[in-house]
Short mmCIF file of all heavy atoms in Angstrom, two decimals:
data_model
loop_
_atom_site.label_atom_id
_atom_site.label_comp_id
_atom_site.label_asym_id
_atom_site.label_seq_id
_atom_site.Cartn_x
_atom_site.Cartn_y
_atom_site.Cartn_z
N PRO T 63 217.65 57.56 2.12
CA PRO T 63 217.44 58.61 1.12
C PRO T 63 217.26 58.04 -0.29
O PRO T 63 217.59 56.89 -0.56
CB PRO T 63 218.73 59.44 1.21
CG PRO T 63 219.76 58.45 1.65
CD PRO T 63 219.05 57.48 2.56
N ASP T 64 216.73 58.90 -1.17
CA ASP T 64 216.63 58.55 -2.59
C ASP T 64 217.97 58.76 -3.29
O ASP T 64 218.28 58.07 -4.26
CB ASP T 64 215.55 59.42 -3.25
CG ASP T 64 214.18 59.17 -2.65
OD1 ASP T 64 213.50 58.26 -3.12
OD2 ASP T 64 213.81 59.88 -1.68
N TYR T 65 218.71 59.75 -2.81
CA TYR T 65 220.01 60.07 -3.40
C TYR T 65 221.04 60.33 -2.31
O TYR T 65 220.72 60.92 -1.28
CB TYR T 65 219.93 61.34 -4.27
CG TYR T 65 219.04 61.23 -5.48
CD1 TYR T 65 217.75 61.76 -5.45
CD2 TYR T 65 219.48 60.61 -6.64
CE1 TYR T 65 216.92 61.66 -6.55
CE2 TYR T 65 218.65 60.50 -7.75
CZ TYR T 65 217.38 61.03 -7.70
OH TYR T 65 216.56 60.93 -8.80
N ILE T 66 222.27 59.90 -2.59
CA ILE T 66 223.41 60.26 -1.74
C ILE T 66 224.47 60.84 -2.66
O ILE T 66 224.92 60.17 -3.60
CB ILE T 66 223.98 59.03 -0.99
CG1 ILE T 66 222.93 58.42 -0.07
CG2 ILE T 66 225.23 59.42 -0.20
CD1 ILE T 66 223.34 57.08 0.55
N ILE T 67 224.82 62.10 -2.41
CA ILE T 67 225.88 62.73 -3.21
C ILE T 67 226.99 63.14 -2.26
O ILE T 67 226.79 63.98 -1.38
CB ILE T 67 225.38 63.96 -3.98
CG1 ILE T 67 224.09 63.66 -4.73
CG2 ILE T 67 226.46 64.42 -4.97
CD1 ILE T 67 223.46 64.88 -5.36
N CYS T 68 228.14 62.52 -2.43
CA CYS T 68 229.29 62.83 -1.59
C CYS T 68 230.21 63.80 -2.35
O CYS T 68 230.49 63.59 -3.53
CB CYS T 68 230.06 61.56 -1.24
SG CYS T 68 229.04 60.34 -0.38
N PHE T 69 230.66 64.82 -1.66
CA PHE T 69 231.56 65.81 -2.23
C PHE T 69 232.91 65.74 -1.53
O PHE T 69 232.97 65.51 -0.32
CB PHE T 69 230.99 67.23 -2.08
CG PHE T 69 229.76 67.47 -2.90
CD1 PHE T 69 228.50 67.14 -2.40
CD2 PHE T 69 229.85 68.03 -4.17
CE1 PHE T 69 227.35 67.37 -3.15
CE2 PHE T 69 228.71 68.25 -4.93
CZ PHE T 69 227.46 67.91 -4.43
N GLY T 70 233.98 65.94 -2.30
CA GLY T 70 235.32 65.95 -1.74
C GLY T 70 236.20 66.93 -2.49
O GLY T 70 235.79 67.47 -3.53
N LEU T 71 237.39 67.14 -1.98
CA LEU T 71 238.34 68.07 -2.58
C LEU T 71 239.35 67.34 -3.45
O LEU T 71 239.94 66.34 -3.02
CB LEU T 71 239.09 68.84 -1.47
CG LEU T 71 240.36 69.61 -1.88
CD1 LEU T 71 240.03 70.75 -2.85
CD2 LEU T 71 241.08 70.14 -0.65
N ASN T 72 239.54 67.82 -4.66
CA ASN T 72 240.67 67.41 -5.50
C ASN T 72 241.45 68.67 -5.84
O ASN T 72 241.04 69.46 -6.69
CB ASN T 72 240.20 66.71 -6.78
CG ASN T 72 241.36 66.32 -7.69
OD1 ASN T 72 242.51 66.63 -7.42
ND2 ASN T 72 241.06 65.66 -8.78
N GLU T 73 242.57 68.87 -5.14
CA GLU T 73 243.36 70.09 -5.31
C GLU T 73 243.85 70.29 -6.74
O GLU T 73 244.11 71.41 -7.16
CB GLU T 73 244.56 70.07 -4.37
CG GLU T 73 244.19 70.07 -2.90
CD GLU T 73 245.35 69.60 -2.04
OE1 GLU T 73 246.15 70.45 -1.62
OE2 GLU T 73 245.45 68.37 -1.81
N LYS T 74 244.00 69.19 -7.48
CA LYS T 74 244.52 69.29 -8.85
C LYS T 74 243.42 69.64 -9.86
O LYS T 74 243.71 70.00 -10.99
CB LYS T 74 245.19 67.97 -9.26
CG LYS T 74 246.40 67.60 -8.41
CD LYS T 74 247.11 66.39 -9.01
CE LYS T 74 248.26 65.94 -8.14
NZ LYS T 74 247.85 64.99 -7.09
N ALA T 75 242.17 69.48 -9.45
CA ALA T 75 241.06 69.71 -10.38
C ALA T 75 240.96 71.18 -10.78
O ALA T 75 241.18 72.07 -9.97
CB ALA T 75 239.75 69.25 -9.76
N GLN T 76 240.63 71.40 -12.05
CA GLN T 76 240.42 72.74 -12.57
C GLN T 76 238.92 73.04 -12.73
O GLN T 76 238.54 74.13 -13.09
CB GLN T 76 241.13 72.91 -13.92
CG GLN T 76 242.64 72.79 -13.84
CD GLN T 76 243.24 73.85 -12.92
OE1 GLN T 76 243.00 75.04 -13.08
NE2 GLN T 76 244.00 73.40 -11.92
N GLU T 77 238.09 72.01 -12.48
CA GLU T 77 236.66 72.14 -12.67
C GLU T 77 235.96 71.17 -11.72
O GLU T 77 236.62 70.45 -11.00
CB GLU T 77 236.29 71.83 -14.13
CG GLU T 77 236.61 70.43 -14.61
CD GLU T 77 238.06 70.20 -14.97
OE1 GLU T 77 238.50 70.72 -15.99
OE2 GLU T 77 238.75 69.47 -14.23
N VAL T 78 234.64 71.19 -11.74
CA VAL T 78 233.87 70.21 -10.97
C VAL T 78 234.05 68.86 -11.66
O VAL T 78 233.82 68.73 -12.86
CB VAL T 78 232.37 70.61 -10.94
CG1 VAL T 78 231.54 69.51 -10.29
CG2 VAL T 78 232.19 71.94 -10.22
N ASN T 79 234.49 67.85 -10.92
CA ASN T 79 234.71 66.51 -11.48
C ASN T 79 233.60 65.57 -11.06
O ASN T 79 233.44 65.29 -9.87
CB ASN T 79 236.05 65.93 -10.99
CG ASN T 79 237.24 66.51 -11.72
OD1 ASN T 79 237.10 67.28 -12.66
ND2 ASN T 79 238.43 66.16 -11.29
N LEU T 80 232.83 65.11 -12.04
CA LEU T 80 231.78 64.12 -11.77
C LEU T 80 232.42 62.74 -11.86
O LEU T 80 232.86 62.32 -12.93
CB LEU T 80 230.65 64.26 -12.79
CG LEU T 80 230.03 65.66 -12.92
CD1 LEU T 80 228.98 65.68 -14.03
CD2 LEU T 80 229.42 66.12 -11.60
N GLU T 81 232.51 62.07 -10.73
CA GLU T 81 233.19 60.76 -10.70
C GLU T 81 232.22 59.67 -11.15
O GLU T 81 231.10 59.59 -10.66
CB GLU T 81 233.69 60.46 -9.28
CG GLU T 81 234.70 61.48 -8.75
CD GLU T 81 236.02 61.50 -9.50
OE1 GLU T 81 236.29 60.55 -10.26
OE2 GLU T 81 236.78 62.46 -9.32
N VAL T 82 232.66 58.84 -12.08
CA VAL T 82 231.77 57.79 -12.59
C VAL T 82 232.16 56.39 -12.09
O VAL T 82 231.39 55.45 -12.23
CB VAL T 82 231.69 57.78 -14.14
CG1 VAL T 82 231.03 59.06 -14.63
CG2 VAL T 82 233.04 57.58 -14.78
N LEU T 83 233.34 56.26 -11.50
CA LEU T 83 233.84 54.93 -11.15
C LEU T 83 234.50 54.93 -9.77
O LEU T 83 235.37 55.75 -9.49
CB LEU T 83 234.88 54.51 -12.21
CG LEU T 83 235.08 53.04 -12.50
CD1 LEU T 83 233.78 52.39 -12.95
CD2 LEU T 83 236.16 52.88 -13.58
N ALA T 84 234.05 54.00 -8.92
CA ALA T 84 234.67 53.81 -7.61
C ALA T 84 235.47 52.51 -7.63
O ALA T 84 235.04 51.51 -8.22
CB ALA T 84 233.58 53.73 -6.54
N HIS T 85 236.63 52.52 -7.01
CA HIS T 85 237.53 51.36 -7.02
C HIS T 85 237.59 50.70 -5.65
O HIS T 85 237.66 51.38 -4.63
CB HIS T 85 238.94 51.79 -7.44
CG HIS T 85 238.99 52.36 -8.82
ND1 HIS T 85 239.35 51.61 -9.92
CD2 HIS T 85 238.68 53.59 -9.30
CE1 HIS T 85 239.28 52.36 -11.01
NE2 HIS T 85 238.88 53.57 -10.66
N ASN T 86 237.60 49.38 -5.65
CA ASN T 86 237.65 48.60 -4.40
C ASN T 86 239.10 48.54 -3.89
O ASN T 86 239.69 47.47 -3.79
CB ASN T 86 237.10 47.19 -4.66
CG ASN T 86 236.92 46.40 -3.36
OD1 ASN T 86 237.04 46.94 -2.26
ND2 ASN T 86 236.64 45.12 -3.50
N LEU T 87 239.65 49.70 -3.61
CA LEU T 87 241.06 49.76 -3.22
C LEU T 87 241.35 51.02 -2.41
O LEU T 87 241.00 52.12 -2.82
CB LEU T 87 241.94 49.74 -4.47
CG LEU T 87 243.44 49.52 -4.24
CD1 LEU T 87 243.73 48.11 -3.69
CD2 LEU T 87 244.22 49.74 -5.54
N ASN T 88 242.00 50.81 -1.26
CA ASN T 88 242.59 51.93 -0.51
C ASN T 88 244.08 51.91 -0.80
O ASN T 88 244.74 50.90 -0.59
CB ASN T 88 242.39 51.74 1.00
CG ASN T 88 240.94 51.85 1.42
OD1 ASN T 88 240.17 52.58 0.82
ND2 ASN T 88 240.58 51.14 2.48
N ASP T 89 244.60 53.03 -1.27
CA ASP T 89 246.04 53.11 -1.57
C ASP T 89 246.47 54.56 -1.37
O ASP T 89 246.51 55.35 -2.30
CB ASP T 89 246.30 52.64 -3.01
CG ASP T 89 247.77 52.29 -3.23
OD1 ASP T 89 248.52 52.17 -2.24
OD2 ASP T 89 248.17 52.18 -4.41
N ALA T 90 246.74 54.89 -0.12
CA ALA T 90 246.97 56.29 0.26
C ALA T 90 248.42 56.71 0.07
O ALA T 90 249.34 55.95 0.37
CB ALA T 90 246.57 56.48 1.72
N SER T 91 248.60 57.93 -0.42
CA SER T 91 249.96 58.49 -0.52
C SER T 91 250.26 59.38 0.68
O SER T 91 251.41 59.70 0.96
CB SER T 91 250.12 59.29 -1.82
OG SER T 91 249.11 60.27 -1.90
N ILE T 92 249.19 59.79 1.40
CA ILE T 92 249.35 60.53 2.66
C ILE T 92 248.44 59.88 3.69
O ILE T 92 247.51 59.16 3.34
CB ILE T 92 249.00 62.03 2.52
CG1 ILE T 92 247.52 62.23 2.11
CG2 ILE T 92 249.93 62.75 1.55
CD1 ILE T 92 247.01 63.65 2.24
N ALA T 93 248.72 60.15 4.96
CA ALA T 93 247.89 59.60 6.03
C ALA T 93 246.59 60.38 6.13
O ALA T 93 246.53 61.56 5.80
CB ALA T 93 248.64 59.67 7.35
N ASP T 94 245.54 59.69 6.60
CA ASP T 94 244.28 60.39 6.87
C ASP T 94 244.42 61.15 8.19
O ASP T 94 245.50 61.22 8.79
CB ASP T 94 243.09 59.42 6.85
CG ASP T 94 243.07 58.43 8.02
OD1 ASP T 94 243.82 58.62 9.01
OD2 ASP T 94 242.28 57.46 7.96
#
Side-chain angles (χ1 to χ4, degrees):
D64 297 272
Y65 296 100
I66 299 171
I67 311 173
C68 302
F69 293 86
L71 166 65
N72 178 356
E73 296 161 90
K74 298 188 184 87
Q76 296 300 306
E77 62 281 288
V78 173
N79 283 355
L80 305 176
E81 300 294 345
V82 295
L83 208 58
H85 298 263
N86 189 9
L87 191 66
N88 292 329
D89 198 13
S91 55
I92 61 168
D94 69 14

